Amino acid sequence: MNEPAGLGPRLGALVIDWVLCVLIASLYASPNEKAWPAVAVLVLANTFFLGLFGQTPGMRLFRVRCASYPDGGVIGLGRGLLRAVLLGLFVPAIILNSEGRGLHDRLAGSIVVGVPRSPAP
């Protein structure tokens, strides 16, 4: 498994994902009037993308992925949903341990790691 991702790329990926979720949610609810639709979209998107592919669009841009801890596989939809709900609460994400795993990662059995660059052909 790769090294844990730094806080900068993780935060950058979350900002990109959050902006996308706010834009999607704004198609059916004004973010100025209701904040929960964007959080619901974030939970659904994280469950789907992390559970099946290990990366959200923001994570792909910032070259990080969420992997099962410690084996490095995909976390699956159940653990993806648990991690997404905890991330939606925001508090667990800022409580990091020495491995750089937030409380949401520890409870879901996941870790966010860097994705190495592919060698040029």
Side-chain angles (χ1 to χ4, degrees):
M1 188 163 28
N2 299 334
E3 292 292 315
L7 190 57
R10 291 174 65 130
L11 184 58
L14 182 59
V15 168
I16 295 296
D17 291 335
W18 179 249
V19 168
L20 290 173
C21 291
V22 168
L23 290 173
I24 292 168
S26 70
L27 295 174
Y28 60 90
S30 171
N32 295 332
E33 294 175 18
K34 296 179 183 175
W36 70 264
V39 176
V41 172
L42 182 73
V43 169
L44 290 173
N46 270 268
T47 299
F48 175 77
F49 286 110
L50 296 182
L52 297 178
F53 308 109
Q55 284 182 308
T56 62
M59 288 177 150
R60 186 159 173 83
L61 285 173
F62 278 86
R63 306 191 56 76
V64 297
R65 70 181 181 92
C66 181
S68 180
Y69 184 82
D71 65 11
V74 177
I75 64 174
L77 293 174
R79 290 180 7 191
L81 176 61
L82 173 62
R83 186 183 187 281
V85 168
L86 293 171
L87 181 64
L89 297 175
F90 295 110
V91 176
I94 61 172
I95 303 170
L96 301 177
N97 68 3
S98 61
E99 296 174 307
R101 295 173 67 209
L103 184 57
H104 63 307
D105 280 320
R106 288 178 280 176
L107 292 173
S110 62
I111 186 170
V112 177
V113 296
V115 175
R117 297 197 182 276
S118 301

